[in-house]
Amino acid sequence: MIILASPGAIAFRLGGFPVYYYGICIALAALVGVVVSYKIIKKDYKEIEPDIFFDVTTVAIISGFICARIYYCLINFEYYSIHTENIFNFRQGGLAIQGGIFGSFIITSLYCKIKKYPILKLADIISFGIVVAQAIGRWGNFFNSEAYGLPSKHFIGTFIPETLRINGYETYKYFHPTFLYESILNIFIFLILYFIVRKYETKFDGIFFAYYLILYSTVRFYIEALRLDSIVNVGVFHVPQIVCILTIIAASIFLIYKKRITKN
């Protein structure tokens, strides 16, 4: 078995102030995501001015970060309702990507409407960057030894310190590295968007964003089934899985509708 073991959450210290790997991963993810999307603009969307892109991207990143934290605290409400002092303590982790995606889209859409920017076209452009950013950002979970899956006895496993193991799994050492699975699959999503959807699908504003939502939600649905850290469940499904199902349905309806209009 290939064993992955985190070196710890803290990368280094600056004057006694700890700098966490999680924060480094998130910062690097945001930077690379912006660069990737900007490259897409230069190649396929030359009508979009760089100033508009960076303006909208700034709003999307800030609102996404805030909404991801709010969503995370809501699905872990039992803990944060008691430990309210930790709501803003996100340096060690605690961002939910689904909340970030949808919260950012809503806020950024309102901003684009005010500014009269083409929101769906910009969402398409950002889709390429965000999926790459997710692939990088997931490694923050590795360094924090969090968001892992069921115990693993097969090809690969991530070692989780006993103090960080979910209740009931203290006797297990190695778990499915769901962060790695999702990271790799996010790269595949980018390749599908870039080399298949981009080249062979009928083009209309919103197509890349819709395909991104469908592909990522499909990946997340199955990854979520492996994870042990979901607190809020509805029947046999974790809440993120239900969000995935609803997202796939909504994005599929959008694609079908837009394709029919485009053909007509």
Side-chain angles (χ1 to χ4, degrees), residues 227-246:
R227 286 176 55 170
L228 294 172
D229 59 336
S230 290
I231 297 176
V232 183
N233 301 319
V234 178
V236 297
F237 293 108
H238 301 166
V239 166
Q241 288 182 300
I242 296 174
V243 174
C244 288
I245 293 171
L246 296 176

Side-chain angles (χ1 to χ4, degrees), residues 202-259:
T202 303
K203 302 301 184 296
F204 51 82
D205 290 348
I207 183 171
F208 295 109
F209 185 58
Y211 269 110
Y212 156 71
L213 290 177
I214 292 171
L215 292 170
Y216 175 68
S217 295
T218 301
V219 166
R220 180 61 186 271
F221 181 86
Y222 289 103
I223 293 293
E224 192 66 29
L226 285 174
R227 286 176 55 170
L228 294 172
D229 59 336
S230 290
I231 297 176
V232 183
N233 301 319
V234 178
V236 297
F237 293 108
H238 301 166
V239 166
Q241 288 182 300
I242 296 174
V243 174
C244 288
I245 293 171
L246 296 176
T247 301
I248 291 171
I249 292 172
S252 297
I253 291 173
F254 172 81
L255 281 178
I256 294 170
Y257 173 73
K258 291 291 286 186
K259 284 184 178 182

